[in-house]
Amino acid sequence: MKPSNENGSSHSAAESYLSTISPQDKDWDIYKTLNNVLRELYKGTSLDTLPSRLDACSGFLEFGITPPLDDGSVRLKLRSARFCRVRHCPVCQSRRSSMWFARLINSIPLVEKDYPKARYIFLTLTLKNCRVEELKDTIKWMNKSWIKLTKKKCFPGIGYVKSTEVTRNREEGTVHPHFHILIMVPPGYFNDRSYLNQKQWSELWKLALNVQYTPV
């Protein structure tokens, strides 16, 4: 870890947890610890190049110190680092998530300017659990089904933001992929005949998935 001043000067520091220097960054330590766990899991597998990449991930961080805030505190701003970009690396995935979140937040003022009277609904779409080895194909199937749903005439969305979450049932050894979707709808949606209740959403999702049961 290498903290540096805004003028570019730096000083060495003993290896330590980032949270000892910047308490608000304690999540980083958690992700790096999980990164180490993942590195050990990859050892001895056919993916034998990944452990060394994971080991080097974020091992050296260079920070700048921001000007003091109103309360006199300062924050660290990452200036340089090396990341492994391994798909399942907790450190890299955390940064990727933060990047997409920032892009979403920055787009909100533009969306509100173009659609000042729009309303929003939050939709969660699920299906039955699957085995871990079936997860990739299941998510592909879900994404195709979602596109089919959005193309129906009754779909009320002007636009949407969709994220995929996967939880795990440790007792059964299965996983539960599902979608969380924020949908922008017309201002009169809640008073219009185009309004869809939970039962109707379930039926639409069932048809899109082409399954025999009614998903939530």
Side-chain angles (χ1 to χ4, degrees), residues 115-126:
Y115 301 92
K117 295 183 179 181
R119 303 292 298 278
Y120 298 86
I121 59 175
F122 184 70
L123 178 68
T124 298
L125 297 176
T126 74

Side-chain angles (χ1 to χ4, degrees), residues 79-90:
R79 307 181 80 184
S80 177
R82 177 183 176 184
F83 298 103
C84 66
R85 301 185 185 277
V86 173
R87 180 169 186 172
H88 299 294
C89 171

Side-chain angles (χ1 to χ4, degrees), residues 45-126:
T45 70
S46 58
L47 304 173
D48 55 359
T49 61
L50 298 186
S52 60
R53 288 172 57 186
L54 287 160
D55 186 51
C57 184
S58 64
F60 181 87
L61 307 174
E62 183 177 0
F63 292 91
I65 300 176
T66 65
L69 302 176
D70 293 338
D71 60 1
S73 64
V74 297
R75 292 183 178 274
L76 299 180
K77 183 177 181 180
L78 186 64
R79 307 181 80 184
S80 177
R82 177 183 176 184
F83 298 103
C84 66
R85 301 185 185 277
V86 173
R87 180 169 186 172
H88 299 294
C89 171
V91 174
C92 294
Q93 286 302 314
S94 171
R95 287 178 53 78
R96 179 180 173 86
S97 177
S98 296
M99 177 193 71
W100 281 106
F101 182 73
R103 291 180 64 177
L104 174 61
I105 293 299
N106 291 335
S107 69
I108 288 177
L110 299 176
V111 173
E112 290 183 333
K113 181 179 179 181
D114 292 339
Y115 301 92
K117 295 183 179 181
R119 303 292 298 278
Y120 298 86
I121 59 175
F122 184 70
L123 178 68
T124 298
L125 297 176
T126 74

Side-chain angles (χ1 to χ4, degrees), residues 13-214:
E15 184 176 353
S16 62
Y17 288 109
L18 180 58
S19 57
T20 61
I21 299 173
S22 179
Q24 68 268 22
D25 290 315
K26 63 181 180 180
D27 285 348
W28 185 287
D29 296 333
I30 296 174
Y31 297 138
K32 183 57 182 175
T33 299
L34 293 174
N35 165 284
N36 293 333
V37 173
L38 182 63
R39 178 194 63 197
E40 294 301 313
L41 291 174
Y42 275 124
K43 287 183 177 179
T45 70
S46 58
L47 304 173
D48 55 359
T49 61
L50 298 186
S52 60
R53 288 172 57 186
L54 287 160
D55 186 51
C57 184
S58 64
F60 181 87
L61 307 174
E62 183 177 0
F63 292 91
I65 300 176
T66 65
L69 302 176
D70 293 338
D71 60 1
S73 64
V74 297
R75 292 183 178 274
L76 299 180
K77 183 177 181 180
L78 186 64
R79 307 181 80 184
S80 177
R82 177 183 176 184
F83 298 103
C84 66
R85 301 185 185 277
V86 173
R87 180 169 186 172
H88 299 294
C89 171
V91 174
C92 294
Q93 286 302 314
S94 171
R95 287 178 53 78
R96 179 180 173 86
S97 177
S98 296
M99 177 193 71
W100 281 106
F101 182 73
R103 291 180 64 177
L104 174 61
I105 293 299
N106 291 335
S107 69
I108 288 177
L110 299 176
V111 173
E112 290 183 333
K113 181 179 179 181
D114 292 339
Y115 301 92
K117 295 183 179 181
R119 303 292 298 278
Y120 298 86
I121 59 175
F122 184 70
L123 178 68
T124 298
L125 297 176
T126 74
L127 76 172
K128 288 184 177 180
N129 289 11
C130 65
R131 298 195 304 270
V132 174
E133 58 268 28
E134 299 172 335
L135 181 59
K136 183 177 180 180
D137 289 337
T138 299
I139 292 178
K140 285 184 178 179
W141 167 41
M142 292 173 64
N143 280 317
K144 289 181 180 179
S145 300
W146 168 250
I147 295 300
K148 286 169 58 178
L149 194 157
T150 62
K151 290 181 178 180
K152 290 185 176 295
K153 290 183 179 181
C154 60
F155 181 72
I158 300 172
Y160 63 87
V161 177
K162 177 171 68 70
S163 67
T164 304
E165 182 179 10
V166 180
T167 55
R168 181 180 177 185
N169 187 318
R170 295 181 180 274
E171 294 181 359
E172 297 180 359
T174 58
V175 290
H176 180 59
H178 50 282
F179 289 152
H180 294 300
I181 311 162
L182 182 65
I183 305 176
M184 179 197 295
V185 295
Y189 171 73
F190 293 98
N191 300 316
D192 194 82
R193 286 187 297 177
S194 63
Y195 174 81
L196 299 174
N197 58 35
Q198 184 180 19
K199 182 178 180 181
Q200 290 170 316
W201 277 113
S202 292
E203 288 297 323
L204 287 171
W205 186 226
K206 176 182 179 179
L207 290 173
L209 289 170
N210 193 23
V211 293
Q212 300 303 312
Y213 63 91
T214 302

